[in-house]
Every structure is written in C-alpha cells, then in structure tokens.
Amino acid sequence: MNNSVTSATYIRNISYSLRRRLSDFLDPQDRWRDVAVSIRKPSGELRYSQHHVRRFEGLVAQGRSPTEELLSDWGTTNSTVGELVDILRSHKLLAAACVLLPVEEASSEDAQPASPALGSESARPTRLLEERAPQPSAGSSTPQPQTLQESREPADTGFSSFLYNELMKITGNFDDRPMSDGGSRLGEGGFGTVYKGLLNDTPVAVKKLNPMDDTSMDELQVQFHQEIQTLKVLKHENLVDMVGFSCDGQHPCLVYAFMANGSLLDRLACLDDSPPLPWRRRCLIAEGTARGLDYLHSNHHVHRDVKSANILLDEKCVAKISDFGLTRASAKRTSTTMMTERIVGTRAYMAPEALRGEVTPKSDVFSFGVVLLEILSGLPPACENREPQFLMEVRYDIDDEDEELTLEDILDKKMGDWELGQVETLYSLACNCLQERKNRRPVARQVVSELEGVVKSISLDSQA
Ligand SMILES: Nc1ncnc2c1ncn2[C@@H]1O[C@H](COP(=O)(O)OP(=O)(O)OP(=O)(O)O)[C@@H](O)[C@H]1O
Ligand SMILES: [Mg+2]
C-alpha cells in the first residue's frame, strides 16, 4: 500500500496523508484510545495516563483529530511503525495496521488463522477485520447469507472476507449489462458500480469500488475501511446490512444484503415501471429512515451523505440507510460540531454549514428535509431545466405569497390515498428540517416522534 514505510520507520516520519488515513480509522468510536493506553515507555511503564487521554479527548471538541495529535506526541520519541502496528494488531485493528504495512508484513509473525478449515495459503489473501464483538442488532431481520466455502468465517465474529475471484464468479465477471438485459449491474454511483450476485442461493449486492474523476485510490481506500468499521459497530433495522468485503483483488469490494426494492430515488421515479409508492408506505419509509438517523446520531455518528439514492428498500419496503464511506464520528458532549477541510456530500442535499465544512448531525437532518420534499413531490432533488433548480428551494416559492405555487401543486398525485392534514404535517416538518440556521432544526429523535404521529393518524384513518 505504501512501499516507503517499513516496520523500522520512525513514527515521526509517517507522512501527513498516512496520518490522515490512520485517523480516519482511529478517530471514530475513539479507537485511538485503545492505542494510547497500550503505549509503553522503554522502561515498560505506560506512557499515557488517564489525564493525558482526557487531554487528547478534549481535542475532539476543537475539531482536531486525537489520532494525529497522539502520533505527533508519540513521534517525539524513537518509536517505530513496527511498534504501532503491533499495538494495532493486538487490538485487532487490522485495517488500520494494513494502512501502514502491507498485509503480508503486518501479519507475518503471528497471523491469525482465517479459519481452522483453511490452509495458510488459501487464507492469506483474505483476512477478517475483527475488532469488537458486534453489538446486538436492534431487530434486524435481514438473514445473514452463508459465506462461500473458501472464505467462511464464523458467523458471530464479524464480516466475511471474500476472494475477489469468487465475487467475480457470482456476478458473472462483473457483467456490466443491466439486469433487464441479462447482466448483473444494479446501479452506479460516485465511487463504483453495484452488481447483483448469488451467494449460496442468497442474493447479495457487490459494490466494486473504482476511482472516478475526482476521487483518488487513497480516498477510496479510506472510504472502504470507513464503511467496514462503521457497519461493524453500528447495527440497526434501518441501516443496511453488510455481509463482507474483499481486498485482495484489482478493486476493493463491499458485499451487502440485497435490497429487493432498490433505492428510494428509483422507486419515487418509478424506474423500470415499478408501481408508485402509496402515501402510507412513503410515511413508513420516512419514519424508518429517521429512526436509522436517530440511531446513528445517538451513537455519535454523522452520515454526511443522506439522500434518497442512499435509502434502500428491502423486499417489504423497509428503509435501510446505506453508504457509510463518508460517515464520521461526531464530537461528543460539549460540542456537536467539527470542522473538516474536505467538504463532502451531494450538493442538492447539503446544509449551508456543511458547505462551509462543518460536520454536525444537524446537517443530516437538513438533508433528510430534502428527502421529505422528494417523498411529498416525487420530484428529483435537482434538475437543471427547472426553476428552482434545487428542490430544497421550492419552499420559498410555496411560502411566498406573491408566487402562485401551493403545496398541492407540487404533490405527487401518484401516491393516491394522501390526506391533506397529514401532507401538511409532513411538509411543515420538512421546512423545519430545512431551516437555514442549524439550531432551529429538530434533532432526529424529534423527527422520529413527529413521523410516528403521522403514521399513527394514517392507521387510525384506515381503521375508521
Ligand atoms: N444493497 C443493495 N441492494 C440492491 N441495490 C443496491 C444495493 N446497494 C446499491 N444498490 C443499487 O445501486 C445503485 C448505486 O449505488 P451507489 O451507492 O453506488 O450509488 P449512489 O447511492 O447513487 O451514489 P453515491 O455513490 O454518491 O452513494 C443504488 O442506487 C441502488 O439502485
Ligand atoms: Mg449510495
């Protein structure tokens, strides 16, 4: 991965970009803390006390990376990459170890056997990124597909690592023709192409990452690992389920449970002649998505790319938030805002402060406001030949008394059984989420309870 770094390289000589990549692994869920408390002085004494750890912790609120600060402090000694990698491996932070040293070197001495059933040769290219026991799933109903024989890992130890060749096999050599033409391609995004495959009769979606115009291979690697780390720790019925990954081939791949109803974006557009989503179903999807967001935020994560293309629908149309490659652990307690130099996300969904580089859960709430407008109107979030170009701006025209546009004008008439009071509640919730000033927006928990109210009123109506 980076040939200039060896076990003997001094920590202080690790390049800026490698430090950044390491912090992308170690900042979330405070994994840097496990590293800090394992560092010893040459005398054998621990280098950092709880007091030191709290000082590093305090940096999060200032928008700084504790991992980077830890490395620069430790770098004032003659400690080496080898020592750091040993610590990372002792905490099973293998993905972070791989950032510094290629798999063979990082795992040469006491590599964990990938599976007792495997010989060491076949095990080498695949490695389980086991870190912590997965937290109990909050009602996740998606069955975990069986993994391929060659790379089977015990189901309770985390994700499976697949051989790239096996993923090629199950996707018909990554057949780029659309499913309707007999191919395997489900869709394409900014970071790669998604294919359908069958894993021992269970359908899965394989995302083959590909560096596109403005994404480098390095950034892609960070996103790849970020997605794995996030989904390993966070499990919820409204977050997509990851099955495994592959990192031994030409392209890193991520393997997910297959979502039979595709993305909310495609279903609102009735792509491939799919039937329009009825009103109640739309409200349930909004409620499910808000629950997923609330779960992410209560676990100190900011998604940073909430949009209808990243809300997938399973066979029962249950909403699952996907794509955690840009997700960041948010600052805790005193401040909920961090700054970043890398402004990421999708313009048509981005809050004003996200465009300035702030990372706060309130920006996810803003983006969710745009999704609510899409659900109500069935309109795409951005359209060049439309006035206004961005859907988020339609609220100004509706609220402006000089404009003739009303809420009813923009409603998606295809949703059939809508009721005006409920539609108005959803619209005013969307407008609250879209408040320019972040402190005026509701938190995800409040959004969930508003939506619960709407769903309840629909159920009561249908009983009457
Ligand atoms: N688990 C899945 N099951 C079924 N279809 C999926 C799955 N994951 C992705 N897809 C399909 O692949 C498409 C592309 O997904 P992808 O995440 O690569 O791009 P995107 O969400 O449109 O953009 P971005 O790259 O910004 O996230 C989705 O819109 C969806 O139709
Ligand atoms: Mg996506």
Side-chain angles (χ1 to χ4, degrees):
M1 265 186 201
N2 186 318
N3 297 330
S4 57
V5 171
T6 67
S7 301
T9 306
Y10 288 126
I11 303 263
R12 62 172 165 274
N13 292 337
I14 300 176
S15 69
Y16 176 65
S17 68
L18 268 188
R19 283 170 193 237
R20 281 273 292 267
R21 283 173 59 192
L22 273 178
S23 47
D24 276 324
F25 288 116
L26 300 178
D27 286 351
Q29 283 102 44
D30 291 337
R31 293 186 187 95
W32 59 270
R33 207 183 301 177
D34 295 339
V35 177
V37 299
S38 307
I39 298 173
R40 290 184 182 274
K41 297 179 186 169
S43 61
E45 241 179 297
L46 289 174
R47 179 173 169 84
Y48 297 109
S49 64
Q50 280 309 315
H51 167 72
H52 292 120
V53 169
R54 271 197 297 279
R55 247 187 34 218
F56 287 124
E57 242 171 23
L59 298 169
V60 179
Q62 298 168 25
R64 287 157 65 187
S65 154
T67 305
E68 283 183 32
E69 302 292 334
L70 173 66
L71 292 179
S72 37
D73 188 89
W74 192 21
T76 57
T77 68
N78 279 341
S79 300
T80 60
V81 164
E83 289 167 58
L84 172 55
V85 166
D86 280 348
I87 292 178
L88 292 171
R89 295 185 57 225
S90 71
H91 289 285
K92 307 243 165 67
L93 293 161
L94 299 183
C98 279
V99 166
L100 291 167
L101 297 177
V103 169
E104 307 81 57
E105 194 177 342
S107 57
S108 56
E109 297 139 39
D110 54 343
Q112 296 179 317
S115 153
L118 293 178
S120 57
E121 277 313 303
S122 58
R124 187 156 295 152
T126 66
R127 199 153 307 283
L128 186 72
L129 295 180
E130 173 54 16
E131 299 199 281
R132 289 168 190 198
Q135 289 172 1
S137 170
S140 175
S141 57
T142 315
Q144 285 292 314
Q146 280 248 297
T147 59
L148 292 166
Q149 191 65 40
E150 290 79 357
S151 53
R152 180 172 296 171
E153 304 285 358
D156 57 351
T157 57
F159 299 133
S160 302
S161 57
F162 297 104
L163 298 167
Y164 184 72
N165 280 347
E166 295 297 340
L167 297 182
M168 273 178 79
K169 232 184 264 168
I170 66 165
T171 55
N173 280 338
F174 295 114
D175 191 334
D176 264 311
R177 290 171 302 158
M179 298 284 299
S180 48
D181 292 349
S184 334
R185 191 160 60 94
L186 289 168
E188 198 174 30
F191 308 106
T193 312
V194 184
Y195 303 85
K196 185 175 178 183
L198 272 186
L199 208 53
N200 303 337
D201 293 336
T202 309
V204 289
V206 181
K207 189 183 241 184
K208 185 176 74 157
L209 300 182
N210 214 358
M212 307 271 176
D213 309 340
D214 53 354
T215 334
S216 67
M217 196 59 199
D218 269 7
E219 275 176 74
L220 214 61
Q221 287 282 354
V222 168
Q223 296 201 9
F224 172 72
H225 291 291
Q226 186 59 38
E227 175 103 4
I228 295 172
Q229 307 291 5
T230 308
L231 285 178
K232 196 163 192 54
V233 181
L234 302 181
K235 307 267 177 204
H236 187 268
E237 188 186 6
N238 300 109
L239 303 190
V240 81
D241 254 322
M242 185 182 280
V243 177
F245 59 89
S246 133
C247 52
D248 68 310
Q250 236 177 317
H251 298 266
C253 295
L254 295 161
V255 185
Y256 303 94
F258 174 70
M259 297 291 122
N261 281 301
S263 73
L264 175 61
L265 179 78
D266 291 348
R267 295 296 68 77
L268 287 173
C270 299
L271 201 77
D272 299 325
D273 292 328
S274 58
L277 293 167
W279 170 238
R280 181 166 184 273
R281 176 53 59 197
R282 291 180 195 222
C283 292
L284 287 168
I285 291 170
E287 188 193 1
T289 308
R291 281 188 201 286
L293 275 185
D294 178 34
Y295 172 79
L296 275 183
H297 295 175
S298 8
N299 284 283
H300 311 292
H301 278 73
V302 185
H303 186 283
R304 302 210 295 173
D305 202 15
V306 172
K307 56 179 178 176
S308 56
N310 283 342
I311 299 168
L312 301 177
L313 304 173
D314 73 1
E315 67 289 351
K316 292 185 185 137
C317 264
V318 172
K320 311 265 182 183
I321 300 175
S322 72
D323 277 349
F324 296 85
L326 300 177
T327 301
R328 288 293 173 272
S330 70
K332 289 183 199 168
R333 297 175 206 105
T334 47
S335 161
T336 48
T337 299
M338 289 197 297
M339 295 300 291
T340 173
E341 292 147 42
R342 277 182 298 175
I343 294 166
V344 296
T346 305
R347 175 68 186 86
Y349 293 86
M350 279 172 85
E353 73 282 355
L355 286 166
R356 294 192 295 267
E358 265 184 50
V359 182
T360 154
K362 289 288 180 93
S363 308
D364 283 349
V365 170
F366 183 97
S367 307
F368 182 70
V370 180
V371 173
L372 286 179
L373 288 183
E374 290 179 81
I375 286 178
L376 282 166
S377 68
L379 294 170
C383 177
E384 272 186 26
N385 314 317
R386 188 179 64 192
E387 192 47 55
Q389 206 176 330
F390 289 122
L391 186 60
M392 64 168 90
E393 283 161 17
V394 83
R395 69 193 194 282
Y396 301 129
D397 291 348
I398 292 176
D399 297 344
D400 183 348
E401 288 180 358
D402 292 341
E403 294 277 343
E404 282 180 6
L405 196 70
T406 65
L407 172 57
E408 273 189 66
D409 292 334
I410 65 147
L411 283 187
D412 187 355
K413 307 297 177 309
K414 298 193 297 296
M415 61 191 173
D417 51 351
W418 53 277
E419 196 263 308
L420 190 60
Q422 294 157 0
V423 160
E424 282 173 346
T425 308
L426 215 72
Y427 176 69
S428 94
L429 178 62
C431 292
N432 277 337
C433 293
L434 290 168
Q435 293 276 357
E436 299 276 324
R437 293 169 67 169
K438 63 176 193 284
N439 293 340
R440 295 195 176 161
R441 293 173 213 149
V443 295
R445 181 71 46 87
Q446 291 167 310
V447 177
V448 170
S449 82
E450 286 271 338
L451 289 167
E452 272 172 359
V454 175
V455 167
K456 257 187 213 136
S457 73
I458 301 176
S459 311
L460 289 176
D461 276 3
S462 57
Q463 280 166 19

